Amino acid sequence: MLKLTDALSRRAEWEQKGYELPGFDREAATAAARKAPKWIHFGAGNIFRAFPAVLLQTLLDSGEEDTGLIVCEGFDPEIIQKAYRPFDNLSLLAVLECAGTVRKKVVGSVVESLIGDPAEAGDWQRLIQIFEAPSLQMASFTITEKGYSLTAPDGSFTPAAQADFEKGTLSPTTLMGKVAALCLRRYQAGAMPLALVSMDNCSHNGEKLAAAVQTIAGEWVKRGTAAPGFAAYLADPQKVSFPWSMIDKITPRPDAGVQKMLEADGFADTGLIITEKNTYTAPFVNAEEAQYLVVEDCFPAGRPALEKAGLYFTDRDTVNKVERMKVCTCLNPLHTALAIFGCLLGFDTIYKEMQDDDLRRLVSKMGYEEGMPVVTDPGILSPQSFIREVLEVRLPNPFMPDTPQRIATDTSQKLSIRFGETIKAYLADGELDVQSLHIIPLVLAGWCRYLMGIDDNGSPFPPSPDPLLDTVRPLVAGISLGDKGPFLETLRPILENQAIFGVDLFAAGLAQRVADAFAQLVSGKGAVRAALHKAAQA
């Protein structure tokens, strides 16, 4: 049996079975990180192990870098306790290629794992030591968008944030409070430069990280628990930068099918781990082959040459354009459409949806015919090539176990960017007519239909978690399959909500079209399929 902790001492056996192994001196890289750390990452989840950690391993293997990567988990300590330390911080990456092959790679660039909690005294002291080290160049993050939030839905500061404002310099509780406290130690040790790099899949991520850390610092300065110079330090991009980035790589939860494949191959460490905080992880990560990471190049303390591993360094405006290309046209809108209709039609994986002629044609028409006329071209990536890869390689990949139910999570928070921006672009373009949009209004009507929680066969299904479900679902609660409408006034509170769609659909001239499409979708059992077939064939 192949066990991760034996991988480096039994290289021949692993390589004979097709596993790629680290090609660098891991002991030396570990020692270098202990003595003079360069890069620490917050967020020990699957995307980190499948992407940033692999980028650094490429540089370590080539000799471009000699210092290992340190990871810190500030939300769920069980990830460190159960998925890192028992395996000497090694992990296995299973790259699920569209051709049906699986590339298996042992990732060894992570040489130290820490729990980000002052209650873990040893780990916390080590974190302080890392942030006080002159050698530290960057701290990066994959903590999800929620990790940067200090406020409740009503805009008030959360109790945890308030507690950090009052006494957080020594024992913070929020992750942003912990990062601010560590930055305070770096400031006190000589105000050395550092880049704080969000790699999360959210708009203007560097701005969100900066706002959170600087808000906490400002509150500490107000209360006299931090020197005024600390706030100035964090506000000076020559000292502390907050680069924006765009990341794109699908890393679903560890899949049972991949688990069985690895077990058949002799790999022993396949146990699925579900923590008390409901994190799904394992000693292995399954991920798609395609990946993009575009980062604003502002690193006052220097950085690894990650462009040699495939990362794009550029300016902030280009990062923003790449994000708009992906989120507004070439990937996210297609994903959301598949999620909505996949739930309504009873699909359990995205790739199966792409085998459905109606759905494949629908998202292709939406992307090419409605999105591409207003796509943002970033210059460094071709929108045409990007969307072609999405539609022909990534979404149809039969070995990617991603589900419409997962992607449908928090849809109300996504519609304004994924569809509203395209509608705005049509309204602003003197040569385009917003009335030429047909697929996008159908998708928006599909979301309203989805809120009923009844599939196309008339059977109930649970909508995925979404912060607005309790607000919007009651608005369609009185509608049943077979109702004839009209539905315009019933749907008015939803369709005029700019917070949901980014525009008032009445003012945009699309409300009636959405209401008419909704009427088609609720006209009876099988109506969703009939409407999709008609739209796909038009």
Side-chain angles (χ1 to χ4, degrees):
M1 298 296 286
L2 305 176
K3 297 185 70 63
L4 272 175
T5 50
D6 297 333
L8 302 185
S9 62
R10 296 167 58 187
R11 297 185 68 94
E13 184 177 354
W14 282 72
E15 290 173 345
Q16 186 178 8
K17 292 200 173 187
Y19 288 80
E20 299 176 34
L21 296 176
F24 62 95
D25 185 336
R26 193 163 186 253
E27 289 187 5
T30 302
R34 292 291 306 181
K35 182 179 180 181
K38 291 183 179 179
W39 182 4
I40 183 169
H41 183 90
F42 290 84
N46 294 332
I47 184 68
F48 161 68
R49 292 192 289 166
F51 200 174
V54 177
L55 292 177
L56 184 63
Q57 179 148 312
T58 299
L59 298 187
L60 289 166
D61 284 344
S62 68
E64 186 71 34
E65 281 292 333
D66 60 4
T67 305
L69 178 53
I70 302 165
V71 67
C72 175
E73 175 57 40
F75 171 72
D76 193 341
E78 284 186 78
I79 299 176
I80 300 297
Q81 295 162 344
K82 296 181 178 180
Y84 277 82
R85 289 176 178 171
F87 306 100
D88 192 25
N89 299 314
L90 296 166
S91 62
L92 177 68
L93 171 62
V95 179
L96 310 176
E97 300 173 319
C98 62
T101 53
V102 178
R103 193 169 75 247
K104 299 166 291 187
K105 185 183 188 73
V106 175
V107 180
S109 58
V110 181
V111 298
E112 187 176 3
S113 57
L114 301 167
I115 296 171
D117 185 350
E120 297 283 340
D123 284 13
W124 189 250
Q125 286 304 310
R126 172 59 179 155
L127 285 167
I128 291 172
Q129 182 184 52
I130 291 167
F131 270 75
E132 290 179 344
S135 57
L136 187 65
Q137 296 177 325
M138 62 185 288
S140 55
F141 302 80
T142 51
I143 58 175
T144 77
E145 187 168 0
K146 295 176 184 177
Y148 305 102
S149 178
L150 302 175
T151 58
D154 64 1
S156 63
F157 288 115
T158 64
Q162 291 281 9
D164 279 1
F165 296 161
E166 296 295 335
K167 53 182 180 181
T169 55
L170 297 178
S171 186
T173 57
T174 67
L175 181 55
M176 290 295 95
K178 296 168 187 176
V179 173
L182 292 167
C183 288
L184 177 59
R185 298 300 293 257
R186 188 167 183 82
Y187 166 73
Q188 293 169 337
M192 295 166 287
L194 183 66
L196 299 178
V197 190
S198 172
M199 296 180 178
D200 271 298
N201 185 23
C202 57
S203 180
H204 299 180
N205 48 21
E207 189 175 75
K208 289 179 170 60
L209 174 58
V213 175
Q214 291 172 354
T215 294
I216 294 171
E219 294 292 337
W220 288 346
V221 169
K222 286 181 186 177
R223 289 162 172 77
T225 54
F230 178 49
Y233 167 70
L234 291 174
D236 182 356
Q238 300 302 313
K239 287 292 188 178
V240 181
S241 66
F242 297 88
W244 292 16
S245 73
M246 190 288 296
I247 191 167
D248 180 23
K249 187 177 183 69
I250 301 173
T251 53
R253 291 174 175 175
D255 180 64
V258 175
Q259 179 187 25
K260 291 179 182 178
M261 178 208 69
L262 294 174
E263 288 174 347
D265 200 37
F267 182 65
D269 297 321
T270 61
L272 299 178
I273 300 166
I274 305 175
T275 71
E276 289 186 4
K277 293 189 174 181
N278 208 37
T279 300
Y280 285 70
T281 188
F284 70 91
V285 181
N286 40 238
E288 68 170 338
E289 184 176 12
Q291 59 184 33
Y292 299 90
L293 182 54
V294 183
V295 181
E296 180 186 1
D297 196 2
C298 51
F299 289 77
R303 59 168 176 77
L306 291 167
E307 67 274 17
K308 296 182 179 180
L311 187 153
Y312 296 85
F313 285 109
T314 184
D315 56 76
R316 178 173 293 187
D317 184 56
T318 302
V319 173
N320 196 39
K321 288 179 178 178
V322 173
E323 181 195 352
R324 285 184 60 85
M325 177 197 74
K326 166 184 172 274
V327 173
C328 301
T329 305
C330 293
L331 174 59
N332 297 54
L334 316 184
H335 240 169
T336 294
L338 290 170
I340 291 168
F341 291 120
C343 292
L344 288 170
L345 295 176
F347 283 93
D348 58 3
T349 55
I350 293 296
Y351 80 84
K352 290 180 183 177
E353 290 191 71
M354 291 300 289
Q355 294 172 355
D356 183 288
D357 286 344
D358 292 336
L359 289 170
R360 186 181 67 255
R361 289 176 181 174
L362 186 88
V363 295
S364 296
K365 285 168 67 71
M366 183 175 70
Y368 283 119
E369 297 178 15
E370 297 190 352
M372 292 301 280
V374 293
V375 70
T376 300
D377 188 343
I380 63 171
L381 293 173
S382 163
Q384 291 77 16
S385 298
F386 192 95
I387 195 171
R388 188 181 308 116
E389 181 186 44
V390 167
L391 287 167
E392 298 178 10
V393 178
R394 299 176 67 182
L395 296 181
N397 186 343
F399 304 97
M400 280 299 296
D402 213 354
T403 70
Q405 291 74 23
R406 182 189 76 85
I407 297 167
T409 300
D410 298 338
T411 298
S412 71
Q413 310 300 293
K414 304 169 181 175
L415 296 171
S416 64
I417 297 297
R418 299 184 182 190
F419 301 101
E421 291 302 307
T422 295
I423 294 172
K424 289 178 186 177
Y426 270 77
L427 292 171
D429 192 308
E431 298 182 4
L432 294 173
D433 183 3
V434 74
Q435 294 301 318
S436 67
L437 298 176
H438 293 278
I439 305 298
I440 288 176
L442 178 61
V443 174
L444 302 184
W447 180 65
C448 296
R449 169 69 176 80
Y450 164 92
L451 294 175
M452 294 169 62
I454 301 170
D455 68 21
D456 202 28
N457 293 321
S459 301
F461 70 88
S464 300
D466 188 306
L468 285 188
L469 283 184
D470 291 342
T471 300
V472 293
R473 289 199 71 194
L475 300 173
V476 298
I479 303 172
S480 301
L481 290 189
D483 287 355
K484 302 301 183 184
F487 297 106
L488 185 63
E489 291 306 313
T490 303
L491 296 177
R492 178 178 288 274
I494 299 176
L495 303 185
E496 67 184 6
N497 192 330
Q498 295 186 54
I500 294 177
F501 298 111
V503 294
D504 176 341
L505 293 176
F506 283 87
L510 291 175
Q512 187 65 61
R513 179 161 294 171
V514 174
D516 290 345
F518 180 81
Q520 295 179 48
L521 297 174
V522 300
S523 60
K525 294 180 181 179
V528 173
R529 169 60 70 183
L532 293 179
H533 182 73
K534 181 180 178 181
Q537 298 300 322

